[in-house]
Amino acid sequence: MIIKPNIIEAVNSLVSAKQRSILALIGIVVGIGSVIAMVSVGSIVQKEALRQFMEMGTDVITISEEFSADNSKKNKKLNIQTAMAIPGHCPSIRVASPYASTYAQFKFKGKKDNIPALGVTPSFLTINKLNIDSGRFIHELDRHMFYCVIGQKVADKLAAQGVYDPVGTRIFFKEKQMTIIGKIREAPMGGMRPYEINEGIMLPLSTLQRLDREAAIRNIIARSRDNAARDQIESEVNAYLSQQNLNGMKVRTAEELIAQMQKQMKLFTLLLGTIGSISLVVGGIGVMNVMLVSVAERTKEIGIRRALGAREGDILFQFLVESVLLCIVGGFMGIAIGVGASWIISYYAKWQFAVSYNSIGLGVAVAVAVGVFFGIYPARQAARLSPILALRSD
Amino acid sequence: MIQLENIHKSFQMGPVTVEVLKGASLTIGQGQLMAIVGQSGCGKSTLMNIIGLLDQPTSGTYTLNGKAVAAMNDKDLSEIRNRQIGFVFQQFNLLTKLTALQNVALPLVYRGVGEKERHQAARAVLEKVGMLEREHHRPTELSGGQQQRVAIARALVGNPAIILADEPTGALDTRVGQEIMDLFIRLNREEGITIFVITHDMAIARQCSSFVRMHDGVIHDH
Ligand SMILES: Nc1ncnc2c1ncn2[C@@H]1O[C@H](COP(=O)(O)OP(=O)(O)O)[C@@H](O)[C@H]1O
Ligand SMILES: [Mg+2]
């Protein structure tokens, strides 16, 4: 096939019909842009989530209270002793750390703010792979003491008020004075870590339960022993909890969460893929329209070319090259926009940005496919024109 | 080389069928410079389009170099148009976006000839028609006579067996028209190219080695 003259021809034709070409391009750019953004963001999120899980380790388990719609069935509440006894009763669990949370007023030098607080046990630190920046974490002997460990957000707040070394500082939480005994280094979120770690403060679990009688233990974060199988962990924990008359607790392993997240990711991809496809169809119809007008305007030219010996296939190819080229130009613009959008999203979401070369390949492939699919009809119309009728047209 | 026998051609114009060619027969031999004259609308262009394989007769037989045209498919017809026939039109029909050189080289594109070779061949024929110094001009930058010379160069570039010219001087003034006619006569004499010219100008027709008349869709030998 005669590619080079056709490409030159196509460029000339598209440039000479700038306005029309640009209008048709918008749909393609949006369509391919959203496809690229979705694929890139999807893969960035997935990598990010996996990275977080890798950091947290794959032996993390959560045991959480299910939000049951049936409120009449008053479940017995989990207490510290029952929770702490889990490793003793379930051989597949190495350590377990129950925690409770509340949300209340934080006050320092007259400045008030509402922040979350976690009631935790000493093992919470290592299970969540947290690091102490200064001071120490909650200790076994701190039971019932009004001590707290602060997260990055609270440290920032205090620093804004001139406290750069917060250990030893006294603050008020829920109208009770407490002493800061340590500061946790900011930990990346995700991978089953409770978000309150960075956002609020941590107190001994028993202290929190004295401050807030409503704050029940709804979650236990634990680690399994030697890659115990999910089914075994679940059956051991469930057996123990039902023996304690505790129902409606759900065991989740890291593995399961990864699988679930990947499933959600797929759904997300499918959804955005649908949006992208719709834009592409709209863009494709725009391209088809441009090509039909181009064919109509150049009927005489088609007649001349046929008189000079162009076969039906040559004319078909000429117009197909034109529509594919139009779509590829839109495709590259869409790729640039899609990659740019995913960079911006990653920047604000603090994800590690990465260009997915697969998505660029996909963008080009989709552009070519749209060009061929929506260009074939106009190109066939051009090719099937009777040479003499085309030549006689004006 | 061209043999038309009892050619009929009708056009459907809505509900009515108009018969334009009513049994035209014609033979054009190798090396002839033949003219066809007749009133406007009598069917000359229709006949030439059939000869040039741009259109098909409704009935009758057309034999080109011993081969029946009716049996040919699009690929065959395109190939013959490309290699054996050169068209020259009243309105020149150059592609306005292309330079003279590119226009002349265009038929070779459809033969898959490389750009360098195409331009070489195009320059050779542009020189023959005296238009080489205008090779980079676009049609709009050329006079009618110059455009027709470029169009003739385009018809010649593929070394066709026959040139079909449909009122090639019709859009030109008498003096320039005569120059174009002189060019045809020269090409016919010096290069032995077969030329078939439609005209309604008897002064032009008389300069040809033979001419026929067309009247009401039928050809009368002179
Ligand atoms: N494709 C067509 N459809 C309908 N009528 C046509 C078509 N082509 C030619 N005609 C008619 O055929 C007649 C002859 O046309 P043409 O061959 O161009 O005459 P000439 O070249 O001798 O002036 C005219 O009346 C013209 O309108
Ligand atoms: Mg005519």
Side-chain angles (χ1 to χ4, degrees):
Chain A
M1 272 293 178
I2 38 180
I3 292 180
K4 200 181 151 203
N6 271 321
I7 290 177
I8 293 168
E9 194 57 50
V11 168
N12 285 338
S13 160
L14 293 173
V15 167
S16 68
K18 262 183 235 103
Q19 276 187 333
R20 226 191 299 131
S21 307
I22 289 169
L23 279 177
L25 277 185
I26 292 172
I28 299 295
V29 170
V30 169
I32 291 187
S34 54
V35 168
I36 296 302
M38 131 211 142
V39 173
S40 303
V41 169
S43 78
I44 289 168
V45 167
Q46 194 150 2
K47 263 189 213 143
E48 187 70 20
L50 286 175
R51 200 175 61 75
Q52 286 167 359
F53 272 111
M54 289 323 241
E55 201 221 328
M56 273 292 271
T58 46
D59 57 345
V60 196
I61 297 156
T62 60
I63 303 164
S64 317
E65 192 173 278
E66 286 286 88
F67 293 102
S68 144
D70 188 5
N71 282 329
S72 60
K73 194 171 75 188
K74 281 242 158 138
N75 280 335
K76 198 184 140 195
K77 293 292 176 200
L78 190 61
N79 61 38
I80 301 184
Q81 288 70 33
T82 314
M84 294 303 279
I86 289 176
H89 288 85
C90 309
S92 59
I93 305 268
R94 185 159 54 83
V95 277
S97 171
Y99 62 91
S101 69
T102 188
Y103 198 78
Q105 192 187 66
F106 169 85
K107 198 165 78 182
F108 179 68
K109 285 188 185 163
K111 223 174 163 219
K112 295 172 187 174
D113 213 345
N114 282 326
I115 61 160
L118 287 176
V120 301
T121 63
S123 57
F124 189 81
L125 183 76
T126 49
I127 294 182
N128 278 294
K129 292 201 171 168
L130 301 175
N131 294 298
I132 289 284
D133 260 351
S134 59
R136 62 174 179 85
F137 196 66
I138 285 148
H139 196 269
E140 207 54 71
L141 300 173
D142 296 334
R143 208 175 287 176
H144 304 309
M145 298 292 280
F146 285 93
Y147 285 163
C148 69
V149 174
I150 61 170
Q152 187 62 46
K153 267 265 178 70
V154 174
D156 290 345
K157 274 180 193 139
L158 292 173
Q161 287 179 271
V163 180
Y164 296 102
D165 184 11
V167 175
T169 305
R170 298 216 165 92
I171 53 106
F172 284 90
F173 182 71
K174 227 178 176 230
E175 310 290 340
K176 289 281 188 307
Q177 194 183 48
M178 23 188 100
T179 307
I180 297 174
I181 56 167
K183 191 225 153 214
I184 290 289
R185 182 174 309 156
E186 186 166 25
M189 278 304 106
M192 294 178 170
R193 267 192 196 118
Y195 83 100
E196 293 96 332
I197 294 169
N198 293 330
E199 304 283 323
I201 59 174
M202 283 172 270
L203 340 164
L205 180 51
S206 49
T207 310
L208 185 93
Q209 287 191 313
R210 264 173 62 190
L211 276 179
D212 182 357
R213 304 234 167 256
E214 301 287 295
I217 297 169
R218 294 206 165 81
N219 296 283
I220 299 168
I221 187 156
R223 292 220 179 238
S224 64
R225 203 186 290 282
D226 310 326
N227 302 319
R230 204 198 89 83
D231 289 346
Q232 196 196 339
I233 296 169
E234 193 171 21
S235 67
E236 283 178 15
V237 171
N238 283 341
Y240 171 67
L241 290 176
S242 55
Q243 180 203 320
Q244 298 294 319
N245 283 325
L246 284 159
N247 295 307
M249 298 294 281
K250 171 93 178 130
V251 178
R252 281 196 189 84
T253 59
E255 205 184 324
E256 193 183 347
L257 246 120
I258 291 174
Q260 194 182 329
M261 196 171 59
Q262 277 170 339
K263 210 169 124 189
Q264 277 173 354
M265 219 39 242
K266 255 181 209 151
L267 210 71
F268 173 74
T269 306
L270 198 75
L271 182 78
L272 284 178
T274 310
I275 294 169
S277 321
I278 291 168
S279 324
L280 280 176
V281 169
V282 172
I285 290 169
V287 167
M288 180 144 81
N289 185 47
V290 166
M291 293 312 300
L292 284 172
V293 174
S294 179
V295 170
E297 275 181 354
R298 291 155 73 195
T299 305
K300 178 97 177 178
E301 177 191 325
I302 294 165
I304 295 170
R305 286 175 184 272
R306 296 283 273 143
L308 300 182
R311 287 158 295 209
E312 281 182 17
D314 293 323
I315 301 296
L316 182 96
F317 190 65
Q318 179 187 339
F319 283 94
L320 217 48
V321 165
E322 192 171 317
S323 78
V324 167
L325 201 73
L326 183 63
C327 288
I328 286 179
V329 169
F332 277 111
M333 287 162 75
I335 288 169
I337 286 174
V339 169
S342 52
W343 184 84
I344 291 169
I345 293 169
S346 312
Y347 179 82
Y348 284 106
K350 293 188 175 131
W351 294 329
Q352 211 169 325
F353 173 71
V355 174
S356 152
Y357 291 98
N358 281 348
S359 75
I360 292 177
L362 178 77
V364 175
V366 167
V368 172
V370 169
V372 171
F373 187 82
F374 290 95
I376 196 89
Y377 174 73
R380 275 169 83 118
Q381 293 243 308
R384 296 224 173 135
L385 282 172
S386 132
I388 184 59
L389 289 184
L391 197 57
R392 277 169 55 101
S393 78
D394 293 295
Chain B
M1 61 181 291
I2 284 173
Q3 241 178 324
L4 297 158
E5 260 171 73
N6 200 20
I7 297 289
H8 288 256
K9 179 71 187 178
S10 311
F11 294 107
Q12 197 70 38
M13 300 277 283
V16 283
T17 305
V18 184
E19 188 169 45
V20 175
L21 298 182
K22 300 168 181 172
S25 299
L26 179 69
T27 303
I28 306 172
Q30 186 93 45
Q32 272 192 299
L33 171 54
M34 183 188 270
I36 180 167
V37 291
Q39 278 177 335
S40 180
C42 70
K44 304 182 296 296
S45 294
T46 303
L47 182 74
M48 182 168 281
N49 293 333
I50 288 169
I51 296 172
L53 307 180
L54 294 169
D55 208 353
Q56 305 275 323
T58 312
S59 69
T61 53
Y62 172 15
T63 319
L64 177 66
N65 290 328
K67 279 190 198 137
V69 166
M72 295 178 185
N73 62 21
D74 176 71
K75 236 177 153 176
D76 301 331
L77 296 172
S78 301
E79 170 126 356
I80 293 173
R81 283 198 296 267
N82 186 245
R83 289 178 185 271
Q84 310 218 30
I85 298 168
F87 288 97
V88 176
F89 305 96
Q90 183 174 359
Q91 295 303 332
F92 327 129
N93 284 351
L94 297 171
L95 297 187
T96 49
K97 280 176 294 182
L98 304 185
T99 62
L101 185 74
Q102 289 166 331
N103 263 294
V104 173
L106 195 54
L108 300 181
V109 167
Y110 296 113
R111 277 189 209 183
V113 176
E115 180 170 299
K116 220 172 137 189
E117 246 181 287
R118 279 203 311 266
H119 286 180
Q120 219 171 338
R123 284 202 182 90
V125 282
L126 275 171
E127 173 143 52
K128 213 176 269 180
V129 300
M131 287 298 295
L132 188 55
E133 65 273 34
R134 300 292 161 97
E135 59 172 325
H136 297 305
H137 288 237
R138 283 173 207 278
T140 47
E141 299 158 358
L142 300 173
S143 71
Q146 288 173 326
Q147 287 187 59
Q148 197 61 300
R149 282 171 187 273
V150 173
I152 292 167
R154 180 178 65 183
L156 287 171
V157 76
N159 284 317
I162 185 165
I163 285 182
L164 301 175
D166 190 342
E167 307 208 30
T169 62
L172 306 173
D173 64 40
T174 318
R175 190 183 56 83
V176 179
Q178 187 53 54
E179 280 171 22
I180 295 298
M181 206 48 216
D182 291 343
L183 180 59
F184 278 134
I185 292 166
R186 201 187 85 211
L187 288 169
N188 175 254
R189 286 218 185 111
E190 293 176 6
E191 318 224 351
I193 299 170
T194 312
I195 301 174
F196 184 57
V197 188
I198 295 179
T199 182
H200 54 252
D201 183 350
M202 275 311 291
I204 297 280
R206 282 204 191 91
Q207 300 174 48
C208 297
S209 50
S210 62
F211 75 87
V212 291
R213 286 177 191 278
M214 181 166 232
H215 183 71
D216 198 20
V218 182
I219 290 172
H220 305 278
D221 272 323
H222 182 64

